[in-house]
Amino acid sequence: MNFRLKIWRQPNAKSSGKLVDYEAKDISPNTSFLEMLDIVNEDLLARGEEPIAFDSDCREGICGTCALTINGEAHGPDHPGAVCEVYMRKFRDGETIIVEPFRVRSFPVVKDLVVDRSALDRIVQAGGFISARAGSAPEANSIPIPKPDVDLAMEAAACIGCGACAAACPNASAMLFTAAKVSHLALLPQGNPERTSRVLKMVHAMDAEGFGNCTNTYECEAVCPAEISASFIAKLNREYARASLRASVRE
Amino acid sequence: MIGTLDPKIPSGALAGKWNSHKDHARLVSPNNRRKFEIIIVGSGLAGGSAAATLGELGYRAKCFCYQDSPRRAHSIAAQGGINAAKNYQNDGDSVYRLFSDTIKGGDFRSREANVYRLAEVSANIIDQCVAQGVPFAREYGGLLANRSFGGAQVSRTFYARGQTGQQLLLGCYQALCRQIAAGTVQMFPQTEMLDLVVVDGHAKGIITRNLVSGKIDKYAADAVVLATGGYGNVFYLSTNARGCNVTATYRAYKKGALFANPCFTQIHPTCIPHSGEYQSKLTLMSESLRNDGRVWVPKRKEDCGKSPNQIPDNERDYYLERKYPSYGNLSPRDISSRAAKEVCDEGRGVGPGGRGVYLDFADAIKRLGEQTIRERYGNLFEIYEKITGDNAYKVPMRIYPAVHYTMGGLWVDYNLMSNVPGLHVIGEANFADHGANRLGASALMQGLADGYFILPYTLPNYLASQMGKRPSIDHSQFKKAESDIRAKIDNLLKINGKLSLDSIHRELGGLLWEKCGMSRNATGLREALAKIPEVRENFWHNVRVPGDGEDFNQALERAGRVADFLEFAELMCTDALARNESCGAHFRQEHQTPEGEALRDDENFATVFAWEFQGNGQIAPPKLHREPLHFETVHLTQRSYK
Ligand SMILES: Cc1cc2nc3c(=O)[nH]c(=O)nc-3n(C[C@H](O)[C@H](O)[C@H](O)COP(=O)(O)OP(=O)(O)OC[C@H]3O[C@@H](n4cnc5c(N)ncnc54)[C@H](O)[C@@H]3O)c2cc1C
Ligand code: SF4
Ligand code: FES
């Protein structure tokens, strides 16, 4: 298969970028999208040009490193899945493909298609954990947890931290990401002691990082590679309301 | 210089060693802990759990990883599960049984004392993870569920759908985040360790490169912990992430740390077969699939091209069930992998290039219903369909072995300390617990055991004698290491040839897969040893590394890693040649039983091979040190899975 590519090139955060035309020729339909970019890079290298910078690591949809927008869609056309799981058989022969980084104010471009998503780490650092010192844990079976609760917690916990939700959102909101972590931990009895402070701190951290507000467009859910349901956003809102009430009663 | 290798195993009865060791190990008092700086390289299960735990104890920790977030370490990709001797199923499991299964599974090439300790602390790991909010699978009554996994006759594996590694790592990452917020751990993402600094014989720091800015930095510490994972990517294609490397451990080796059993590589039997030259990695299908899938190939070569559903049952060869009736499809990894290679070598493989065997769920679907299979393995079937375009509920999966895990690693003693005082090595990066073959679901267990429950006891034992001995980064050894690293980077950028990194790495990988892969022989290994230096020469003369060092430069990152693989490959082959026996995953064709199983030579090789780097910058044949292994509790027997 052959493709015409328009790829975002930007030397670093400070300089401006632009779309540059490339071609990918004789690509097998069983090549993954990132392997197609590898091939383009080999060509560039052979011609003495600088290869296109893009991020990936596991290349199997679990680490959350890869992050590309293809023809305006975060992670490309094959949902649910990360862009490293997109195969060229999903494109038409001869198609023009536009490749850009995730565009979110809080994710500055590092180079070409690579962005800095450390804002997501800082949201977790604000409170996205259960304080459990090694050595203090009670016997694992001492607190039975109903299977439906743990299954739901697992659905939320499956988030791979890629940031596509924010990239797809017209407001660049990281609500789905934050909601997933808040819900995962709030659904488990172990998460209960810090339930109130956690949601308040995480939501404040999210705002402080400059992410936008959620206006329920659900673009996030549509691109999420981990199929995190937007209903967790409703859960986050309930958790936040409950926590605000408790905090104000305590004051 | 290194005398005899002393593993420092505590005396006393096996079951009491760890407790008595903890009772007598030296401690660091709480108000002194903040005076110690610990460098932890790696944020996977091993490094992440160690950094979080040491931070919580009050030490000042610095944690490094090459990814943009510690949550992306390759532990995230583990699917199947984690073992623990909880005996929740009442099916006869115990610490002893997990211990003896691990020793036998490792084909008697690991240390009894270490393995016993691992089995002992395994139960604490599950408690710890549940307390952190890891959503392990549960039964309807709300208690934890288990499954049996690769080669075990009891159900001791805990799991979180097909994403166990992800959930364990996120638990660990969250604990780490808590310490980062508390200021006890400083996190350095996108920072690659390029050298170890040894001062007066002790490991006291590292040299790093910031992968975003290109800046080279020096960090001093009271102790250095390497938790940098496995080196399976030396084969180019493996189930590892693109960035997995041998750089940290190899450079420590060049600074005097011994590298143990480098040739012990696990080839995983259930991966999606290779489909073409452009392929950048291989994808694992969790072997939990073997609980319900049946492995077969056509009995007759002529049938290989037919659609599998057209081949009647009596014309299929369920070769694992036939050869190993008591374990069948659950036979250990090395045995299953070799058996797959054999049937393909006979010309009975299926799929492109004849390099594949079927893993068939038709019987399980008939017995349990498609819904149950979907619940158990739904996400794996989806991954399979994405990659191959096939629906495995309707046609059998095709699988083939791939490089997956490296049992070899830096040599460590019972305290997880290498022969270089102060240098501790944990997780997949060390060699310790899995012998010549790792059992399924035991790597996650080992990484967390090391980080949460072992290193926090053994590290203070070293630190207690090190108060006030941390050098400044202006020490001459730091300066020298830094200038060496700068020179190495300049050399890479200067080559300016025409070849791509991938082409050379692929060549190296192909060579190793052929000569030092699933089965090896002396002639092939000698050929590889003659050829590797040529490939390396070619690299240093003809590769092209574009850009410069003062910038985000992914090609330069990769070039450094490939350069190390090109040296390390030689060490692997040297080790494989010297180990003139078969054991576990190391199958020397010259040494097999009449049934074609690995034939050990306990008299000469019940010993760890630990290699010392020789030569001044140049590569000279390494020097071999031995650590004899003693089997006092589990008796040396020929493994039999018949
Ligand atoms: C696909 C797959 C599935 C698996 N499934 C299972 C399973 O079901 N059960 C099981 O028990 N085991 C499984 N394993 C094995 C297990 O996942 C690994 O052995 C284990 O997670 C390794 O953990 P680790 O902490 O030692 O290393 P890793 O998780 O690989 O972490 C290495 C860390 O070191 C850092 N690093 C590496 N080099 C450098 C450097 N030079 N400078 C700075 N930082 C560096 C990385 O950034 C990373 O943070 C699986 C492995 C794979 C590949
Ligand atoms: S919620 Fe989904 S899209 Fe957002 S970070 Fe998590 S996995 Fe990515
Ligand atoms: S590279 Fe890991 S999710 Fe895509």
Side-chain angles (χ1 to χ4, degrees), chain B residues 513-556:
Chain B
W513 178 249
E514 278 304 310
K515 311 287 185 195
C516 195
M518 245 181 292
S519 53
R520 300 121 184 230
N521 61 53
T523 319
L525 289 165
R526 286 202 186 91
E527 282 165 20
L529 283 168
K531 181 85 185 145
I532 293 166
E534 290 172 25
V535 184
R536 196 165 54 227
E537 279 295 291
N538 196 17
F539 172 91
W540 282 104
H541 286 105
N542 297 316
V543 84
R544 181 177 174 85
V545 186
D548 62 43
E550 327 278 82
D551 189 13
F552 184 87
N553 185 342
Q554 292 172 314
L556 177 62

Side-chain angles (χ1 to χ4, degrees), chain B residues 116-311:
Chain B
Y116 195 89
R117 172 177 66 184
L118 175 64
E120 249 180 309
V121 303
S122 66
N124 305 33
I125 297 172
I126 303 304
D127 299 344
Q128 174 63 18
C129 294
V130 167
Q132 288 172 337
V134 171
F136 284 124
R138 289 179 183 259
E139 295 160 357
Y140 281 98
L143 301 175
L144 289 155
N146 293 111
R147 59 184 171 208
S148 98
F149 201 74
Q153 289 179 309
V154 292
S155 291
R156 60 161 76 101
T157 304
F158 294 78
Y159 60 100
R161 296 222 178 126
Q163 288 126 281
T164 315
Q166 179 198 32
Q167 292 309 313
L168 296 173
L169 185 65
L170 292 181
C172 176
Y173 159 76
Q174 287 162 206
L176 184 61
C177 281
R178 179 169 157 253
Q179 297 306 320
I180 294 170
T184 58
V185 179
Q186 217 183 333
M187 187 70 220
F188 297 83
Q190 286 177 305
T191 307
E192 182 164 32
M193 166 182 161
L194 292 181
D195 211 353
L196 178 75
V197 181
V198 179
V199 176
D200 299 333
H202 288 244
K204 290 292 177 195
I206 61 173
I207 307 292
T208 63
R209 178 169 180 273
N210 180 318
L211 300 179
V212 178
S213 67
K215 191 160 175 285
I216 307 287
D217 285 304
K218 310 187 275 279
Y219 294 96
D222 297 283
V224 176
V225 180
L226 296 188
T228 48
Y231 50 81
N233 273 353
V234 65
F235 288 88
Y236 186 69
L237 285 179
S238 80
T239 63
N240 285 0
R242 293 280 281 173
C244 293
N245 63 83
V246 75
T247 291
T249 47
Y250 189 72
R251 305 229 176 146
Y253 162 75
K254 286 178 101 171
K255 284 291 173 81
L258 300 180
F259 214 112
N261 301 335
C263 81
F264 287 174
T265 313
Q266 182 165 76
I267 314 273
H268 196 289
T270 56
C271 301
I272 299 179
H274 183 209
S275 71
E277 164 90 338
Y278 48 80
Q279 200 159 341
S280 58
K281 76 153 288 166
L282 295 171
T283 302
L284 175 75
M285 291 279 97
S286 166
E287 77 187 313
S288 59
L289 291 168
R290 292 201 276 147
N291 285 332
D292 288 306
R294 297 179 69 196
V295 177
W296 64 275
V297 289
K299 281 189 179 157
R300 297 179 306 139
K301 277 187 209 174
E302 302 75 59
D303 289 348
C304 290
K306 282 191 191 161
S307 140
N309 296 339
Q310 284 172 353
I311 303 173

Side-chain angles (χ1 to χ4, degrees), chain A residues 145-154 187-189:
Chain A
I145 308 177
K147 183 170 168 11
D149 292 4
V150 87
D151 286 349
L152 192 60
M154 178 64 213
L187 283 161
L188 297 171

Side-chain angles (χ1 to χ4, degrees), chain A residues 60, chain B residues 41-48 64-67 69-70 72-83 149 164-165 169 191-194 227-230 239-241 243-249 268 281-284 286 333 404-405 426-429 438-447 561:
Chain A
E60 55 183 74
Chain B
V41 189
S43 65
L45 287 180
F64 298 79
C65 71
Y66 72 76
Q67 293 92 348
S69 163
R72 309 204 200 281
H74 198 51
S75 294
I76 201 92
Q79 302 171 344
I82 175 165
N83 286 331
F149 201 74
T164 315
L169 185 65
T191 307
E192 182 164 32
M193 166 182 161
L194 292 181
T228 48
T239 63
N240 285 0
C244 293
N245 63 83
V246 75
T247 291
T249 47
H268 196 289
K281 76 153 288 166
L282 295 171
T283 302
L284 175 75
S286 166
R333 292 179 173 179
H404 178 59
Y405 181 88
I426 59 178
E428 192 173 338
R438 173 174 72 77
L439 293 183
S442 285
L444 301 180
M445 167 172 77
Q446 183 223 337
R561 294 172 193 154

Side-chain angles (χ1 to χ4, degrees), chain A residues 34 55-67 75 81-85 160 162 225, chain B residues 72 76 241-242:
Chain A
L34 300 187
D55 248 347
S56 74
D57 203 31
C58 75
R59 295 209 172 182
E60 55 183 74
I62 192 73
C63 73
T65 307
C66 60
H75 286 312
V83 67
C84 60
E85 300 175 283
I160 65 170
C162 61
Chain B
R72 309 204 200 281
I76 201 92
R242 293 280 281 173

Side-chain angles (χ1 to χ4, degrees), chain A residues 129-142:
Chain A
F129 46 75
I130 293 172
S131 303
R133 186 189 316 107
S136 297
E139 211 310 305
N141 257 344
S142 60

